Amino acid sequence: MNKRGKFISRRKILFGLGGLAAVGALATKQLVQAVDNLKKDFQVTGKLSLSQRAAKKGLIYGAASRKIDLSSNPLYAAAIVQNCSLLVPEWEFKWTAGNVRLRPSPNRFDFTAADWMANFAATHNLLLRGHTLVWHESLPPWFQKTVNRQNAEQILENHIHALVKRYAGKIHSWDVVNEIIQPKDGRRDNLRITPWLQLLGPNYIDLAFRLTAAADPKALLVYNEYGLDYDNPEQETKRTAVLKLLERLRAKSVPIHALGIQAHLSPGDNKFNPKKLRQFLHHVAGLGLKILITELDVVDKKLPRDIKVRDRIIAAVYEDYLSTVLEEKAVIAVITWGLSDRYSWLNEFEPRPDRAPVRPLPLDAQMQRKLAWNAIARAFDNAPKR
Ligand code: G3I
């Protein structure tokens, strides 16, 4: 039964998915499972928002967003306020991203956009997440020719001190370091070879956490990572490496409080194994760490074009994933990487081969709820209370 109360014929579903199987994107077993999922109606009860449903279970629901979108689309801004209890600036707290230049030069900060986002959050009583202090992909153009082994520590200290101090007491959590494990880089410690590692050695991680803790003792300090969700050798290796890093950091009393699991989900050719994922989450929690699902969305480029079929598969992916991770009570927050399909990064970064607009998020481009919204709502409604 879809939103308009029409049964989607099983033939249409199989045809839609059959095309998928034809491109080898879905194993037969997953094809059948997807069809079974598609019989679900994803019904929700009551009128509570996503954040209200999350709060009833002691959880936080939020979304990433950008000043450029919030300031230009009142309908979207209203949807963020109505659905979320937390906001994470997608661009504005990075060294540089999109049209935002927080760090225009080695000795300057431009807090205009970051302040705007912090004020939006405060005005609408939203928790604010800082993303991200140390990430190899958001370094400004001047970084490479300016930063060297002699000044790197001072530049990192200046950045963290100035940015974290400015919003101290207003930040729910900081992604202190982002995407720092990369087994393919071949190091014994599985650290990603980034400019910070090359300039400061592995202790850049300890330093970043200690500097952030000193600048804002109230914020939850997070290591944020992707590629931890699926049952395949590459992600199993990465989960093991992440656990080893977390153990090392905890053994050295580094002030790390949580693991951020980005959860950019990509159905089609990845095997989801709830038992394996729950084991990983249990090990992380066993280190005394909290867990945040920090960038949840569903890449739909390998799914059928038919919106009715695609939306149902995406909803099933959301419900299967969240019902698994929310069983772990150390999981304290679920944040989608955007709220509306209109502003998803996937439009540019993971476009569909048929160029059809992507549909990864809870709201469509016109801010209307989709089955993904229902699936997230149901997962919160069925989650154990924290
Ligand atoms: O849309 C403009 C395009 O019109 C313009 O021609 C082009 C030229 O620069 O830029 C395009 O904007 C880009 C934007 O992505 C599109 O969404 C920005 O340059 C680019 O900086 C921006 O990248 C962001 C990326 O992080 C790097 O900061 C994405 O918005 C953002 O969604 C992405 O988010 C990351 C998280 O921070 C970390 N985890 C992975 C996640 C996805 O990559």
Side-chain angles (χ1 to χ4, degrees), residues 49-314:
S49 69
L50 292 180
S51 60
Q52 289 168 329
R53 293 171 194 266
K56 277 182 73 172
K57 300 301 177 70
L59 285 159
I60 295 166
Y61 169 71
S65 193
R66 305 176 296 201
K67 171 177 179 286
I68 191 169
D69 307 322
L70 289 169
S71 59
S72 59
N73 183 339
L75 201 60
Y76 174 61
I80 286 279
V81 174
Q82 200 254 329
N83 274 286
C84 301
S85 60
L86 177 143
L87 175 72
V88 53
E90 190 170 344
W91 288 355
E92 293 74 13
F93 282 16
K94 292 172 177 173
W95 290 58
T96 186
N99 63 356
V100 176
R101 299 288 172 270
L102 174 69
R103 298 301 312 273
S105 69
N107 302 312
R108 275 192 58 226
F109 288 78
D110 179 353
F111 292 111
T112 312
D115 284 350
W116 192 97
M117 293 296 274
N119 293 336
F120 183 93
T123 304
H124 299 289
N125 199 24
L126 298 174
L127 296 169
L128 183 64
R129 171 129 249 268
H131 174 82
T132 174
L133 295 169
V134 178
W135 186 33
H136 58 286
E137 286 199 15
S138 64
L139 295 174
W142 53 261
F143 189 91
Q144 193 174 6
K145 51 183 181 287
T146 309
V147 186
N148 55 51
R149 282 199 173 84
Q150 288 67 46
N151 64 14
E153 183 167 339
Q154 191 59 59
I155 286 171
L156 179 61
E157 182 170 350
N158 291 347
H159 181 80
I160 291 178
H161 185 80
L163 182 57
V164 176
K165 263 261 183 268
R166 186 179 184 86
Y167 304 103
K170 298 176 186 171
I171 296 285
H172 167 267
S173 51
W174 270 107
D175 285 336
V176 176
V177 295
N178 189 44
E179 304 177 8
I180 62 171
I181 285 284
Q182 179 49 286
K184 287 178 191 162
D185 283 0
R187 287 177 52 96
R188 279 167 53 88
D189 57 12
N190 289 302
L191 289 182
R192 183 186 296 271
I193 299 176
T194 69
W196 291 114
L197 179 77
Q198 291 168 316
L199 289 161
L200 294 172
N203 277 347
Y204 83 90
I205 300 168
D206 311 35
L207 177 63
F209 276 99
R210 294 186 199 286
L211 290 169
T212 309
D216 185 353
K218 284 188 183 169
L220 202 70
L221 305 188
V222 183
Y223 153 41
N224 194 42
E225 190 59 82
Y226 72 91
L228 302 173
D229 315 293
Y230 287 109
D231 183 7
N232 60 49
E234 182 186 347
Q235 298 204 8
E236 184 61 25
T237 302
K238 193 162 187 177
R239 285 189 290 270
T240 304
V242 165
L243 277 175
K244 284 202 169 75
L245 171 65
L246 293 172
E247 286 162 1
R248 284 202 304 275
L249 295 173
R250 295 291 280 173
K252 293 194 283 183
S253 305
V254 170
I256 177 172
H257 310 126
L259 172 67
I261 297 177
Q262 292 185 12
H264 292 294
L265 304 179
S266 44
D269 44 20
N270 285 305
K271 184 169 168 250
F272 181 57
N273 181 332
K275 185 165 178 284
K276 271 209 171 162
L277 183 56
R278 271 201 302 275
Q279 281 171 345
F280 173 67
L281 300 179
H282 181 70
H283 287 154
V284 174
L287 294 171
L289 296 170
K290 295 297 182 191
I291 299 163
L292 293 81
I293 307 301
T294 54
E295 303 185 15
L296 182 61
D297 54 18
V298 178
V299 179
D300 69 353
K301 66 183 182 182
K302 293 186 175 174
L303 300 183
R305 183 186 179 100
D306 181 294
I307 285 176
K308 291 193 186 78
V309 176
R310 189 172 6 145
D311 279 3
R312 303 183 85 71
I313 295 173
I314 291 168

